[in-house]
Structures are given as C-alpha cells and as structure tokens.
C-alpha cells in the first residue's frame, strides 16, 4: 500500500477548474508523510500539477533523510502548460521533469506517468512525447513509464456532448500499444461497477501484458469511510475539486450514509472499521496491483496503515460488492457525477 499525495497539494486551480483540496495544511501534511514512513510506507505517488509542485516539495522534505533506494517515487506530467503550446511538447516535458526532480530533491523518479491521454489534435504530440519519455529512461532520469487507464480527458466533460465522446476503452487500447507502459493507473474501489461478464478487467489486461496497476481512490475520497453524513455534510473552500462533484452534495451523501449501514452492522461503525473494509477490498483484488491511499491529516495517515487488520473472507468480499453495488446504482440514478456537466453545451 502506497501513499497518494494529491490531497497534500492543497487548494489549486488548473485549466480553469478547481482541482485541489482546500482541507490540506502543510504542517499536518508533513507530519502525515513522516508518520506513514515510520509505519512502513515506501511508495509515494504525486504529480507536478498537485498544488503546482507543492505536493512534490512536501515529499522531498519528508524523505530528505531517507536513503534513496528505500523509497519508490512516482510522479506525472500532462496537465501543466505554463507557456508551452501543449503539456506534452517534448521540451516542456523535460522542463517539467527537471522541476519535479528539484522539488523531490532526487536525481530520478521510479515511475513517470502520462497523466492524461490527450496528445493534441490528431495526436500531434504523441510520438514526440513517447520518444521524450524513452530518452528520460536512457538517461536514467526515469526508471519506469506509466499511463492512465481508460478515462475521459477533463475538458471533454465541458466541451463535448456525451453522445459524441470517444470510446475511451478503444482509445486506451490504442495508446497502450504505442506507449507500452510498465504501469497503469486506475480508479478502483468498492463503488466501482463490476465489469460485464466476459469482459477483461484492467488487472487481467495488465497481467497479460506484463504491466502492473496502481489503484487510486480506494476510499472514494472519504465517502466509503462514513466521513460525511447528512448531519455533518462536507464543506469545501475555493480551489477544491469536490465542489464540482455531485457525490459530495447532500442527496448523494444521504444515499451513501444509508447504503453503508449494512457494512457498519457487519464490520463495525468506526471510520477505521470502514477503512479496513475499503482498503482490503482493493488490496485483495489482484496480485499485480498496489493501492494508493491519500490523507490530509496525520491521524488519517496513521489510520490508513493501522486499520488493515485481518484480510476479508471471500464471503465478506461478496457481501461488500453486493451492498456497494446497490449504492453505486442509486448514485448513478442521481445523474452526472460532475455538476458542471449539467450545464455543459449539448
């Protein structure tokens, strides 16, 4: 289990959208990183866009006294333009990597991800971006290459009618064949719909191609641990991506709070009890996957690593899938996940 470090980047905006976490505090984040290290964490995943380098710099401070070969560092490129024609312009990619290495205080990253799958009109920047990534590997600046699993580019949600959006599965398969990544990053948790019968999962696909998977959002950003309830609804400041998401609005919180009741009755009602269930559900999914779990407080970082307890039984996993599958269907019935999609051009 690794540490996902998006949240510690703090509040931020990019591409005209809130994309950070307003609940982060640097002192608390640093204590959380140090606590995770003390509890055995060795994998830290970040990106240049997380707080525009803030997350990377905090990690750099936390690992300053740790031997470099005792931590695995993962970062990403693809959302910051800063004067370049496109985020995947090769020269710009090199500047971004140099900034990442400086922020982290290291001479290489273990995994470097293409953060999104948009390479310009007609994939104008794709070949150059792939060659630049291979150059980073030849130079020893990057050890392994990663790419994002099937996922729509963020701006598609604002500019492209739903019925005209590209087939993200076919797009992923095409890019995978060209990029040949070592790692695939994918969202996965107990609210993730079960693939149709006969459909190959991303985990099986990765294994068949000799790749590994980094799972993110295993706690559904706190929704699966009972963090938010109708009596204690969430409140977010500016620059927080959750302002855009319907699953953090009151109607969804009511669905989730009621939907988690069977899990509380079976496994326990504390956030630690529910965290164990959510994390174990992901950790036991596949042998070729690591789970990245985020935090904004030292207490959360500690809970993540001390709540794991015993593995879930097969019956437990089946029960969780049945319960959360019903919750997921109710959430889908509420409409689009992103609130601004409701107002997007159609």
């Amino acid at each position: 289990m690794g540490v996902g470090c998006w949240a510690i980047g703090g509040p931020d905006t990019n591409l005209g959208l809130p994309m950070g976490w307003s609940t982060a505090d640097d002192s608390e984040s640093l204590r959380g990183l140090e606590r995770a290290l003390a509890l055995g964490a060795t994998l830290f995943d970040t990106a240049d866009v997380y707080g525009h380098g803030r997350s990377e710099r905090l990690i750099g401070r936390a690992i300053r006294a740790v031997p470099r070969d005792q931590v695995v560092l993962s970062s990403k490129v693809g959302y910051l333009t800063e004067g370049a024609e496109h985020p995947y312009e090769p020269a710009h990619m090199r500047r971004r990597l140099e900034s990442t290495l400086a922020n982290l205080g290291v001479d290489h990253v273990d995994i470097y991800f293409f953060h999104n799958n948009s390479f310009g009109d007609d994939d104008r920047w794709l070949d150059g971006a792939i060659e630049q990534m291979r150059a980073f590997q030849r130079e020893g600046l990057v050890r392994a290459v990663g790419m994002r699993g099937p996922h729509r580019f963020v701006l598609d949600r604002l500019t492209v009618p739903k019925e005209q959006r590209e087939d993200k599965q076919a797009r992923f398969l095409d890019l995978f064949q060209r990029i040949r990544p070592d790692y695939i990053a994918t969202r996965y948790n107990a609210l993730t719909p079960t693939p149709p019968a006969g459909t190959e999962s991303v985990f099986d696909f990765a294994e068949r191609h000799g790749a590994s998977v980094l799972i993110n959002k295993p706690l559904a950003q706190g929704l699966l641990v009972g963090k938010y309830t109708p009596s204690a609804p969430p409140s977010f400041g500016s620059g927080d991506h959750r302002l855009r998401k319907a699953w953090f609005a009151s109607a969804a919180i009511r669905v989730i709070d009621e939907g988690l009741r069977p899990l509380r009755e079976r496994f326990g009602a504390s956030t630690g009890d529910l965290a164990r269930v959510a994390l174990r559900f992901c950790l036991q999914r596949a042998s070729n996957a690591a789970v990245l779990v985020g935090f904004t407080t030292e207490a959360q970082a500690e809970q993540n690593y001390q709540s794991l307890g015993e593995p879930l039984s097969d019956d437990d996993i089946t029960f969780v899938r049945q319960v959360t599958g019903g919750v997921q269907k109710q959430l889908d019935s509420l409409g689009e996940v992103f609130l601004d999609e409701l107002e997007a051009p159609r």
Side-chain angles (χ1 to χ4, degrees):
M1 190 167 75
V3 182
C5 298
W6 176 16
I8 66 173
D12 204 358
T13 59
N14 191 53
L15 301 175
L17 298 170
M19 49 71 57
W21 297 70
S22 61
T23 50
D25 171 81
D26 284 358
S27 297
E28 191 74 22
S29 296
L30 189 58
R31 288 193 295 271
L33 289 169
E34 292 169 345
R35 186 62 179 144
L37 280 164
L39 291 171
T42 58
L43 167 61
F44 296 85
D45 177 80
T46 184
D48 59 0
V49 75
Y50 297 167
H52 282 60
R54 184 177 179 182
S55 172
E56 293 175 333
R57 289 189 291 272
L58 284 165
I59 296 170
R61 290 173 60 187
I63 65 170
R64 196 172 295 162
V66 179
R68 178 64 184 88
D69 62 357
Q70 292 185 14
V71 291
V72 176
L73 300 177
S74 168
S75 194
K76 312 176 190 73
V77 63
Y79 275 120
L80 288 181
T81 303
E82 296 186 338
E85 187 173 349
H86 190 275
Y88 288 135
E89 181 182 343
H92 178 68
M93 287 178 62
R94 181 170 292 275
R95 291 192 295 271
R96 296 308 318 145
L97 178 57
E98 290 171 349
S99 176
T100 287
L101 296 176
N103 287 337
L104 292 169
V106 298
D107 62 2
H108 72 277
V109 289
D110 299 283
I111 316 169
Y112 202 41
F113 276 87
F114 289 108
H115 203 168
N116 64 70
N117 296 337
S118 178
F119 293 87
D121 294 340
D122 299 319
D123 284 337
R124 173 185 174 187
W125 301 102
L126 177 58
D127 289 339
I130 294 173
E131 173 52 34
Q132 183 63 279
M133 195 69 85
R134 298 306 176 200
F136 293 155
Q137 288 184 288
R138 291 193 295 269
E139 296 168 35
L141 302 175
V142 169
R143 298 289 171 85
V145 173
M147 70 173 289
R148 192 173 196 159
H151 187 69
R152 293 174 300 182
F153 183 51
V154 64
L155 290 187
D156 288 353
R157 300 192 184 99
L158 300 179
T159 60
V160 181
K162 192 172 185 178
E163 62 275 8
Q164 295 179 18
R165 295 171 187 163
E166 67 180 354
D167 182 337
K168 59 183 178 179
Q169 302 287 345
R171 172 65 171 169
F172 167 76
L173 292 173
D174 178 61
L175 288 176
F176 184 92
Q177 294 300 324
R178 299 176 72 173
I179 295 171
R180 294 290 180 176
D182 305 289
Y183 287 85
I184 301 170
T186 189
R187 290 181 298 186
Y188 181 78
N189 56 54
L191 290 171
T192 300
T194 302
T199 301
E200 186 176 42
S201 73
V202 68
F203 305 101
D204 293 337
F205 174 86
E207 185 172 19
R208 183 161 60 85
H209 289 85
S212 298
V213 178
L214 292 189
I215 292 172
N216 55 60
K217 301 181 180 65
L219 304 181
Q221 301 178 334
L223 294 172
L224 282 171
V225 299
K227 181 178 178 180
Y228 309 114
T229 67
S231 61
S235 177
F236 309 119
S238 61
D240 196 306
H241 75 286
R242 291 169 290 185
L243 291 169
R244 301 177 54 226
K245 295 183 178 178
W247 284 14
F248 292 92
S250 58
I253 294 298
R254 286 193 295 272
V255 167
I256 295 168
D257 183 59
E258 176 61 23
L260 293 180
R261 183 158 53 86
L263 299 187
R264 294 190 185 96
E265 293 171 349
R266 180 167 177 140
F267 300 107
S270 74
T271 57
D273 292 329
L274 294 176
R276 168 184 167 258
V277 173
L279 291 173
R280 280 290 182 188
F281 183 87
C282 295
L283 285 165
Q284 294 173 222
R285 176 60 181 83
S287 61
N288 62 335
V291 176
L292 302 170
V293 56
F295 72 96
T296 54
T297 68
E298 180 182 6
Q300 289 172 357
E302 181 168 347
Q303 177 177 273
N304 291 340
Y305 277 84
Q306 292 193 327
S307 66
L308 292 179
E310 294 297 316
L312 299 177
S313 68
D314 290 344
D315 286 344
D316 287 338
I317 291 175
T318 298
F319 180 80
V320 172
R321 186 174 288 115
Q322 289 173 343
V323 170
T324 57
V327 175
Q328 181 262 324
K329 289 177 181 178
Q330 290 185 68
L331 291 171
D332 280 355
S333 71
L334 297 177
E336 297 282 7
V337 174
F338 285 81
L339 296 171
D340 43 34
E341 287 192 343
L342 301 175
E343 303 172 1
R346 288 291 183 266

